[in-house]
Every structure is written in structure tokens, then in C-alpha cells.
């Protein structure tokens, strides 16, 4: 069967270093036919010069994630459009897993799971989205993909940094709503898909690692700098979807949640007491602006697709490689790992310390996945804080666990 052609759209603004790292990880994808469209500002466009014409670049100097994604959709030639943030690192098996459910013609969209930055815990998994902008966890039986149908007022949540939609469906419904400049844009799309009765696949093994890089809206430690876009987007969302709801009650609940969030940061010394009032004032200003923001009538995107331009030709076929090291040999092993990665292999280096520290994950710019932690320490949420292992046994266990992500043809325990 001929694989579906996929366009990966990345909306990036002012973070060229993160974008380069994201693209380096994406280039390890085991999907056989994908192209990359980057929508960015002048700074980001300049950083893409080393990729030449392998990446389709479009400019968007406006800080508006919905509009940027629509520009990317119009520039996409694939039958399916996948979305990724510039501060995300996709696993090599991500794209193949995320797009496999589209072999079922009834599937209009798909979403995967998102791990947090550095650690191996979860940011987001399966959720349902509702007409007041809230979400609720969905419990899945195992890691197998599941196809769910939404209904009016209840959508299947996909995350903007790990989702895919059929291009024809997206263009027919007018793409993303540019009234959402930062927040709730994908949730709005989920509710609109649900109102159509569309099916969405949740794919647990389609995984990305998502960071929280500094921006005008937040610091890299997740402390907010401004809450106006959150307030404005929520007000817009309630105008779009919450006509039968008590919008004031929902905004009151969000107001309380944001205040508790700020008090938590203040308790840890990340912000001063005076910052709480200033940031809450920005939330109120955003709500007021969002209640008056002009809402465009969404019309089909009619830009004809260009010719398909795959990022890699052919796709990587070299087997994945796992290396392990103790701290005193890690530097030498890292040099070897980088050389192997340069030859086109997906390489994971496991560094095991003689203690029980929690495991961390990073992606080296040279193309190596580096997991480090204690020989006896936990790697995943729910692992015991201490478990006795032999070195070779722990290395083999971690390799088997990672195989579905780094070597999609393999099997995992």
C-alpha cells in the first residue's frame, strides 16, 4: 500500500535554536513520505538556510498561532497535515504512528501523547474537550490507537504540538480560527470537528517531548509574564461555543485557577507579591478585549497545494543503535554516538550513575538521544523510587522499553 503523503507544519517565532533542534529530531522520522513546512518570522527564516529547498518556508510576522497554521496548511501538499511546535522533539516513530489511523477513511484527525521537558512524565494524554473550554481525562485500556467520535459540545482533544488532520477536512472548514492568537485554537478545532460528527484517533505511541521555552507570555520555568491572551481566548471561545452556558461562571473559575497558579509560583519565590495583582490585571484586560474582539466568518481555504517536496529522499533505513555508559566513560561514548548518528542511525545513549536519581532525557544537537539517571532510580511515572538492578539488566530493560519509539519495527516490554 502506498503510504499517505504527510506535511508537517511547524509554526515558529523568534526561537531559531529550538527550531533547528526540532528539525534535527524530525529528520530521524521513520515515516517514508513527509515534507516540512515552517511558518516563521524573519529571524527563523534566516536560521533555515542550511536546509536549502528541502524545507518550504512561509513568513508570518504576526504573533497569531491560528493564522500561522493556516498559512502552513495552504502551503502543504500532503494528504494529511501534522502539526508540531518548535519547542517539541518528536520521537523517530512519532509521525508513522500518528498517521497510521488515516488508513481508515472515516478518521478525520489524530492526536498523540506529550511528555514533559527533560523528564519522562506526561504533560498530556487522552482527553475530551467541552464547550466551556475545559478538558477531562479519558482512560484508555492500553497503547493501541482508539478511534472516537465527538458530538456537539464534546470534542476529542488533540494538542497543537502533536496532532494531524486531513488537509481536505481542514481546508473545507476554514482551518484554524485566527481569533485565537495563542490559546484554545486547537480546542476550538476539536469542537468544530465534533459538531460535524467527525472521528478522531487517539494514538498513545505517537509521542513528542514538549518544552516550555521563554516567550513574551511566559518564562522558561513556566512562570507567566502576561495572561491577557489566555483571558481573551477564553472569552472568544465562550462566544463561539458557550451560548447555552453561564460564561461568567466559567470565567470566574478560570480567574480562580490562574490566581492559584500565581500564588503557587509566589510561594516558591518565583514571583513577588506585587506580580500577582499585575498579572491578574492582564487576565482581566484580556477577557474584556476578547469579549469585543471581531470574529471572522470562517471560509474554506482555497489555495491550491504545491508540488510535494519530501524532506528526506529516501527515508532513513539504518537500524537504531543503543549504547550505555557509566559516568566516567560517558564522554567517549558520546563521541562514538555522534559519529554513528552522523551516518543516519537513530542513537540512544544511556548514562547510568551508581545511585537512585530520577532519569532525564535530552536530545543532543548532534542527533543523539541521551537518557541519564541512577542505576537504581525511576525512569517513568509510577516506577519505584529505588529498585535494585544489575548494570547490564537495566541497560537491556531501557532499550526494550524505548524500542517502539526509536525503532518502530521493534517490540517493547
Amino acid at each position: 500500500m502506498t503510504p499517505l503523503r504527510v506535511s508537517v507544519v511547524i509554526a515558529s517565532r523568534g526561537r531559531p535554536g529550538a527550531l533547528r533542534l526540532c528539525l534535527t529530531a524530525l529528520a530521524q522520522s521513520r515515516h517514508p513520505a513527509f515534507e516540512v513546512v515552517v511558518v516563521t518570522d524573519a529571524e527563523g527564516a534566516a536560521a533555515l538556510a542550511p536546509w536549502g529547498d528541502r524545507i518550504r518556508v512561509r513568513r508570518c510576522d504576526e504573533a497569531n498561532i491560528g493564522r500561522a497554521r493556516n498559512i502552513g496548511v495552504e502551503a502543504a501538499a500532503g494528504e494529511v497535515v501534522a502539526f508540531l511546535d518548535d519547542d517539541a522533539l518528536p520521537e523517530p516513530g512519532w509521525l508513522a504512528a500518528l498517521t497510521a489511523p488515516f488508513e481508515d477513511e472515516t478518521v478525520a484527525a489524530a492526536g498523540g501523547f506529550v511528555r514533559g521537558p527533560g523528564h519522562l512524565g506526561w504533560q498530556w494524554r487522552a482527553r475530551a474537550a467541552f464547550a466551556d473550554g475545559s478538558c477531562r481525562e479519558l482512560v484508555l485500556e492500553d497503547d493501541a490507537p482508539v478511534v472516537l467520535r465527538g458530538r456537539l459540545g464534546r470534542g476529542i482533544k488533540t494538542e497543537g504540538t502533536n496532532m494531524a488532520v486531513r488537509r481536505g477536512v481542514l481546508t473545507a472548514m476554514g482551518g484554524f480560527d485566527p481569533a485565537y492568537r495563542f490559546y484554545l485554537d486547537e480546542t476550538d478545532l476539536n469542537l468544530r470537528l465534533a459538531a460535524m460528527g467527525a472521528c478522531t484517533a487517539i494514538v498513545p505511541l505517537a509521542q513528542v517531548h514538549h518544552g516550555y521555552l521563554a516567550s513574551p507570555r511566559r518564562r522558561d520555568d513556566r512562570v507567566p509574564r502576561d495572561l491577557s491572551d489566555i483571558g481573551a481566548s477564553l472569552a472568544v471561545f465562550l462566544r463561539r461555543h458557550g451560548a447555552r452556558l453561564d460564561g461568567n461562571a466559567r470565567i470566574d473559575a478560570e480567574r480562580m485557577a490562574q490566581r492559584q497558579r500565581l500564588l503557587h509560583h509566589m510561594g516558591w519565590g518565583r514571583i513577588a507579591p506585587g506580580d500577582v495583582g499585575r498579572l491578574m490585571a492582564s487576565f482581566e484586560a484580556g477577557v474584556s478585549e476578547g469579549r469585543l474582539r471581531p470574529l471572522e466568518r470562517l471560509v474554506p481555504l482555497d489555495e491550491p497545494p504545491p508540488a510535494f517536496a519530501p524532506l528526506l529522499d529516501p527515508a532513513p533505513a539504518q537500524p537504531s543503535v543503543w549504547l550505555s555508559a557509566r559516568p566516567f566513560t560517558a564522554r567517549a561514548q558520546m563521541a562514538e554516538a555522534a559519529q554513528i548518528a552522523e551516518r543516519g542511525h537513530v542513537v540512544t545513549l544511556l548514562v547510568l550513575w551508581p545511585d537512585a536519581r530520577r532519569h532525564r532525557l535530552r536530545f543532543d544537537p548532534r542527533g543523539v538521544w541521551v537518557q541519564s539517571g541512577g542505576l537504581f532510580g525511576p525512569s517513568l511515572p509510577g516506577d519505584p523510587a529505588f529498585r535494585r538492578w544489575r548494570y547490564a539488566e537495566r541497560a537491556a530493560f531501557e532499550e526494550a522499553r524505548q524500542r517502539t519509539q526509536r525503532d518502530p519495527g521493534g517490540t517493547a516490554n
Side-chain angles (χ1 to χ4, degrees), residues 313-392:
D313 188 22
Q318 292 86 343
S320 299
V321 175
W322 280 267
L323 301 175
S324 60
R326 300 181 191 275
F328 56 87
T329 63
R331 179 172 293 185
Q333 287 287 70
M334 184 65 207
E336 179 185 351
Q339 291 175 357
I340 297 172
E342 192 173 357
R343 297 197 293 268
H345 297 266
V346 174
V347 184
T348 304
L349 174 61
L350 176 67
V351 181
L352 292 173
W353 294 75
D355 55 27
R357 70 184 70 187
R358 180 174 293 277
H359 285 222
R360 307 281 295 179
L361 182 75
R362 67 181 179 88
F363 184 69
D364 188 87
R366 291 169 287 182
V368 179
W369 296 87
V370 182
Q371 180 179 331
S372 62
L375 174 61
F376 312 113
S379 58
L380 295 178
D383 285 352
F386 180 93
R387 181 178 174 184
R388 189 170 297 281
W389 295 87
R390 292 190 299 273
Y391 178 90

Side-chain angles (χ1 to χ4, degrees), residues 46 79 139 236 245 247 263 332 378 388 409:
E79 300 154 89
V139 179
V236 168
L245 304 175
L263 291 175
R388 189 170 297 281

Side-chain angles (χ1 to χ4, degrees), residues 169-242:
V169 172
L170 264 178
T171 56
M173 65 192 299
F176 292 86
D177 189 341
Y180 304 94
R181 298 171 185 167
F182 160 67
Y183 175 60
L184 290 175
D185 56 300
E186 70 271 32
T187 310
D188 170 84
L189 186 74
N190 299 149
L191 267 291
R192 289 157 55 207
L193 286 167
M196 297 163 47
C199 290
T200 296
I202 299 298
V203 191
L205 292 180
Q207 296 180 14
V208 302
H209 304 265
H210 181 238
Y212 286 105
L213 297 186
S215 75
R217 301 178 185 92
R218 67 178 176 229
R219 300 183 339 208
D220 57 8
D221 59 359
R222 300 186 65 182
V223 174
R225 289 174 166 153
D226 185 276
L227 295 174
S228 59
D229 277 322
I230 290 178
S233 290
L234 179 58
V236 168
F237 192 92
L238 292 170
R239 289 168 64 193
R240 288 292 202 193
H241 301 283

Side-chain angles (χ1 to χ4, degrees), residues 108-345:
F113 282 17
V114 181
R115 293 190 183 273
H119 60 81
L120 292 167
W122 299 111
Q123 272 184 6
W124 302 299
R125 290 184 282 181
R127 297 192 290 170
F130 298 91
D132 64 354
S134 65
C135 294
R136 186 181 306 156
E137 293 288 331
L138 297 174
V139 179
L140 305 184
E141 292 184 0
D142 51 36
D143 287 340
V146 58
V147 177
L148 303 171
R149 188 183 299 275
R151 62 176 184 270
L152 186 64
R154 184 186 188 275
I156 307 306
K157 184 74 174 77
T158 58
E159 309 303 335
T161 190
N162 186 358
M163 62 182 286
V165 188
R166 291 189 188 274
R167 187 183 191 277
V169 172
L170 264 178
T171 56
M173 65 192 299
F176 292 86
D177 189 341
Y180 304 94
R181 298 171 185 167
F182 160 67
Y183 175 60
L184 290 175
D185 56 300
E186 70 271 32
T187 310
D188 170 84
L189 186 74
N190 299 149
L191 267 291
R192 289 157 55 207
L193 286 167
M196 297 163 47
C199 290
T200 296
I202 299 298
V203 191
L205 292 180
Q207 296 180 14
V208 302
H209 304 265
H210 181 238
Y212 286 105
L213 297 186
S215 75
R217 301 178 185 92
R218 67 178 176 229
R219 300 183 339 208
D220 57 8
D221 59 359
R222 300 186 65 182
V223 174
R225 289 174 166 153
D226 185 276
L227 295 174
S228 59
D229 277 322
I230 290 178
S233 290
L234 179 58
V236 168
F237 192 92
L238 292 170
R239 289 168 64 193
R240 288 292 202 193
H241 301 283
R244 299 182 181 181
L245 304 175
D246 184 349
N248 288 329
R250 175 65 181 92
I251 288 173
D252 284 342
E254 185 66 26
R255 181 182 291 116
M256 183 177 299
Q258 292 297 334
R259 183 174 179 80
Q260 288 299 118
R261 173 189 177 196
L262 296 177
L263 291 175
H264 172 80
H265 286 305
M266 186 184 76
W268 282 96
R270 300 177 186 134
I271 58 175
D275 292 327
V276 176
R278 175 183 60 81
L279 289 166
M280 289 308 302
S282 72
F283 175 81
E284 301 298 344
V287 170
S288 298
E289 191 273 328
R291 283 171 166 161
L292 300 174
R293 180 177 290 176
L295 303 183
E296 301 177 17
R297 178 176 175 270
L298 300 182
V299 297
L301 305 177
D302 57 3
E303 186 74 17
F308 190 75
L311 178 69
L312 304 172
D313 188 22
Q318 292 86 343
S320 299
V321 175
W322 280 267
L323 301 175
S324 60
R326 300 181 191 275
F328 56 87
T329 63
R331 179 172 293 185
Q333 287 287 70
M334 184 65 207
E336 179 185 351
Q339 291 175 357
I340 297 172
E342 192 173 357
R343 297 197 293 268
H345 297 266

